[in-house]
Amino acid sequence: MKFVDQTKIKVISGHGGSGCMSFRREAYVPRGGPDGGDGGKGGDVFLQADTGLHTLLDLQYQQLYRAKNGTPGKGSDMTGRCAENLTVRVPVGTQVYDQETDEFLVDLAKPGDIFLAAKGGDGGHGNAHFATSRNRAPRRYEEGWPGQERTLRLELKLIADVGLVGMPNSGKSTLISTVSNARPKIADYPFTTKVPGLGVVKIGDFSFVMADIPGLIEGASQGAGMGDRFLRHIERTRLLLHLIDPSPFLEPDPETRFEMVMTELAEHSKDLSGRPMIAVITKLDLPENEEPAEKLDAALRDRGYKTCRISAATGAGVTDLIRRVAQFLVKTNSDSQA
């Protein structure tokens, strides 16, 4: 399925039904009073977070959502029927903005979260509503109130516990395919991953969600390679795994590439750059990487970073990495509940 993480939709709630002007017309009732009923309320439009959706694709193809109008009131004090509400399903993690004002409206971050996007118009009063001791035969009634119409911008931020970051071809897709149910495209060339992806990782009775975003390049935080859109998908994560290919044949050197990604994280968000992180040195199955990996490991440890060396291709070090991730998440869960 195509991954779409940003789109616009128009929502229009229903108009209220008009009130009715009517008088009783019955035999043997020479002065029948007013009996015009009120109009029914127009339908509301809601947005609701649904765990069964993972992309805004459907909303990109259908961008107009209109609720029905309430029906008019009738004689004999009969109120018009209220229109049914319209609920638009969106993925969990959808953020909603007013397209005209750029105002942030709501973050539908939890399953079942619901937001009133457009309120239906109230029904108008019938003439029975205006009867008084002085005016027993009012000829006044109200039209139904109009509904709301607004254009909304929807932006999806994936919900994940752990985020994978790194330059293109650093081994992120291979890792997530090894440890989870995710099946991204994997090839030996840069930019194989073109859209963010999620995978569920299980270790014993514990499971967590891992997010893989396309490789970051210099200027990503400013939009290069669509990096600014990709980076928002790891803003909700509690832990980052920063994957670095230690190959001596790549330019610039591994430590400089590490710093390049760290700079882009900081440029995008100071909070993101300060997120707990493990520097994961990858591709240890290649003989030429053994010595550079040791040097990079020592250099990053000297600077205070937590490190881990793995080969996702052979599985070396992967189990230890996942165990460390699980221990961190369990601990942070306990701390947040304390």
Side-chain angles (χ1 to χ4, degrees), residues 87-116:
T87 299
V88 181
R89 307 288 176 177
V90 298
V92 177
T94 298
Q95 295 186 319
V96 184
Y97 296 81
D98 187 298
Q99 178 64 19
E100 303 300 325
T101 65
D102 206 36
E103 177 189 1
F104 172 73
L105 300 176
V106 70
D107 184 3
L108 302 174
K110 298 190 296 296
D113 278 356
I114 194 165
F115 169 64
L116 176 59

Side-chain angles (χ1 to χ4, degrees), residues 16 24 26 39 46 64 66 75 101 104 132 147 173 175-176 184 209 227 242 270 287-288 318 324 333-334 336:
R24 293 176 61 188
E26 301 176 33
F46 292 93
L64 176 62
R66 186 194 299 268
T101 65
F104 172 73
T132 66
S173 296
L175 176 60
I176 197 171
V209 178
H242 185 163
K270 289 184 178 180
E288 64 270 20
V318 172
R324 289 174 61 182
N333 285 343
S334 300
S336 64

Side-chain angles (χ1 to χ4, degrees), residues 22 38 57 60 76 92 96 101 118 177 195 230 254 267 308 316 330 336:
S22 173
D38 297 340
L57 177 64
Q60 187 176 59
S76 301
V92 177
V96 184
T101 65
S177 67
V195 297
F230 297 147
E267 291 283 341
C308 183
V330 169
S336 64

Side-chain angles (χ1 to χ4, degrees), residues 197-213:
L198 293 177
V200 178
V201 182
K202 294 183 179 181
I203 178 168
D205 295 329
F206 183 74
S207 64
F208 59 89
V209 178
M210 180 179 287
D212 172 27
I213 66 170

Side-chain angles (χ1 to χ4, degrees), residues 214-256:
L216 302 176
I217 60 175
E218 190 171 9
S221 60
Q222 305 303 316
M226 296 179 65
D228 55 335
R229 287 183 60 172
F230 297 147
L231 282 166
R232 75 164 180 258
H233 290 294
I234 56 171
E235 289 178 1
R236 304 180 193 269
T237 58
R238 290 183 283 160
L239 176 69
L240 296 179
L241 300 184
H242 185 163
L243 276 62
I244 316 107
D245 181 349
S247 172
F249 305 119
L250 295 176
E251 292 292 342
D253 62 85
E255 197 168 349
T256 301

